[in-house]
Amino acid sequence: MSTNKSMVSRSFWSIIVGGMLTGMGNGSVFGATLMCLMGRGGFDNWGGAGSTAYDPATFTGFIDWAMIVFGIAFVGILVVGLGRHDKLERAAG
């Protein structure tokens, strides 16, 4: 096993899968909280069928996009965290 590769490059798929699953899970909790607090509120259409499920003007589309954004944010957090951890490991080793 090559120790020259960075921790981020060795963990690529773990970062993608773990970050998206964790982030989208947190995004769904955000959506459930939003639904409990405001109901459908200002959304004329709930979405949910076909392409309206990803239209941010619909309630479901807004929640789906929130989940995607949370997932991408958690991937970024993992990349930064593992990159810094790798830098510390290399400095200590």
Side-chain angles (χ1 to χ4, degrees):
M1 181 170 134
S2 174
T3 57
N4 293 335
K5 292 175 78 174
S6 73
M7 192 175 291
V8 173
S9 65
R10 287 183 305 201
S11 309
F12 178 77
W13 288 110
S14 297
I15 290 171
I16 298 296
V17 172
M20 288 302 286
L21 284 174
T22 303
M24 291 183 81
N26 287 336
S28 70
V29 171
F30 170 77
T33 303
L34 186 66
M35 183 173 57
C36 288
L37 291 175
M38 69 176 257
R40 274 194 3 213
F43 296 98
D44 293 332
N45 186 354
W46 76 277
S51 64
T52 59
Y54 297 98
D55 179 4
T58 66
F59 181 76
T60 303
F62 177 77
I63 299 307
D64 287 347
W65 275 104
M67 288 172 40
I68 292 168
V69 169
F70 274 59
I72 292 169
F74 270 75
V75 167
I77 289 168
L78 282 173
V79 167
V80 170
L82 282 175
R84 290 182 181 182
H85 180 72
D86 189 43
K87 188 184 288 186
L88 288 171
E89 288 286 326
R90 288 179 189 268

